[in-house]
Amino acid sequence: MILISLLLNGIGLHTHYFAVAQPAISSAPLNAEEEEIVRLIKHTYGKQAAMRTTVWRQLLTASRQQDELAQLKLVNDFFNQLRFLNDIDIWGKEDYWAAPLEFLGAGAGDCEEFSIAKYLSLRELGVDDEKLRLVYVKALTLNQFHMVLAYYPTPSAVPLLLDNLTPDILQASQRSDLQPIYSFNASKLWLIKQRGQGRLVGDPSRIKHWQSLQQRVRHHQFTVPVLWLDRE
């Protein structure tokens, strides 16, 4: 049971995840590219980060034959285990959008990290980009800006929201606590003046943090955190 051994070694995943994810986790070996990624993560962030990355890669492998709703739940449950911390505490910057491997390396992130890691995981699993949007919102209860991932089963459907603030995947119509501002995916940027699809205003090249993140993803570039949670 690979997940049991990883949890017992304290890789920063909550123990309740075993009950959720055990049927979906494969113990199949990683391919050569994945092994190299894990090696780079271990070199940069340490052994526990490498183990988190291994579980993530095995989860994606085991999820490829699942339907999209099952994939949403598996990916959402997996990343929602990680710890929430502000960018200034982890990276020493007021606003930093970490790539999934940086997120797993640090073992913590804020709302952007949770949403982006889920988005890129689902894209890798083959979910069409037209069905996914990263949505910048105002969390009214918390009175702060926030990011969630929206999934549209069909173009006109009310989207499902994946959010680190709640373990449940709910329809946007059930989240009256969130006021959408803008959304984007790999090719489009929408301005949202009221609940709904929004008005297309261009492409996401206008979002500098998104462009920087994509550069790091393409070239496997990793930022070292200022806070090492695995060493606490």
Side-chain angles (χ1 to χ4, degrees):
M1 293 290 189
I2 185 170
L3 189 55
I4 291 178
S5 65
L6 293 181
L7 289 170
L8 290 176
N9 278 282
I11 60 172
L13 300 180
H14 299 326
T15 54
H16 75 78
Y17 187 67
F18 174 69
V20 174
Q22 182 190 358
I25 293 289
S26 169
S27 59
L30 305 183
N31 62 38
E33 182 180 0
E34 290 173 323
E35 287 181 348
E36 176 61 15
I37 289 171
V38 170
R39 186 192 68 79
L40 290 172
I41 292 298
K42 183 176 181 180
H43 175 75
T44 306
Y45 299 105
K47 180 180 178 181
Q48 293 179 345
M51 295 168 76
R52 286 192 290 269
T53 303
T54 298
V55 174
W56 175 52
R57 299 311 307 171
Q58 292 178 330
L59 175 68
L60 293 186
T61 296
S63 302
R64 294 189 190 282
Q65 302 307 313
Q66 303 276 355
D67 62 53
E68 288 186 352
L69 291 180
Q71 290 174 341
L72 259 65
K73 178 169 176 51
L74 288 166
V75 168
N76 192 60
D77 287 343
F78 176 79
F79 282 107
N80 276 3
Q81 302 170 91
L82 294 178
R83 184 171 170 182
F84 180 93
L85 281 176
N86 292 318
D87 289 334
I88 192 66
D89 298 317
I90 307 169
W91 307 105
K93 301 177 181 180
E94 288 293 340
D95 192 16
Y96 181 76
W97 292 12
L101 288 172
E102 295 174 303
F103 182 27
L104 290 166
D110 68 4
C111 58
E112 287 94 356
E113 277 72 62
F114 284 92
S115 299
I116 291 166
K118 294 170 188 178
Y119 167 79
L120 291 176
S121 295
L122 291 169
R123 289 291 294 122
E124 186 172 342
L125 286 172
V127 178
D128 194 304
D129 199 44
E130 290 297 318
K131 293 184 174 183
L132 298 172
R133 295 187 192 179
L134 291 155
V135 187
Y136 202 59
V137 303
K138 185 172 184 180
L140 301 177
T141 304
L142 299 175
N143 193 30
Q144 66 184 40
F145 294 111
H146 182 56
M147 182 181 282
V148 298
L149 176 63
Y151 168 81
Y152 290 79
T154 64
S156 60
V158 175
L160 299 171
L161 300 185
L162 286 68
D163 185 358
N164 64 287
L165 294 179
T166 173
D168 300 318
I169 299 175
L170 301 174
Q171 289 188 327
S173 58
Q174 297 174 279
R175 296 298 307 274
S176 59
D177 59 313
L178 302 180
Q179 179 181 335
I181 301 170
Y182 70 85
S183 66
F184 65 98
N185 57 21
S187 60
K188 297 175 183 176
L189 173 66
W190 294 266
L191 183 64
I192 306 173
K193 291 189 175 181
Q194 50 186 280
R195 294 183 183 276
Q197 293 287 333
R199 177 169 60 88
L200 185 64
V201 293
D203 65 67
S205 62
R206 299 165 61 177
I207 306 173
K208 65 178 183 179
H209 289 308
W210 180 241
Q211 297 307 308
S212 174
L213 180 146
Q214 289 186 310
Q215 175 78 9
R216 280 177 275 116
V217 168
R218 282 193 295 269
H219 298 286
H220 290 159
Q221 297 171 335
F222 310 125
T223 298
V224 175
V226 299
L227 176 65
W228 290 92
L229 294 176
D230 292 334
R231 297 177 185 176
E232 290 183 344

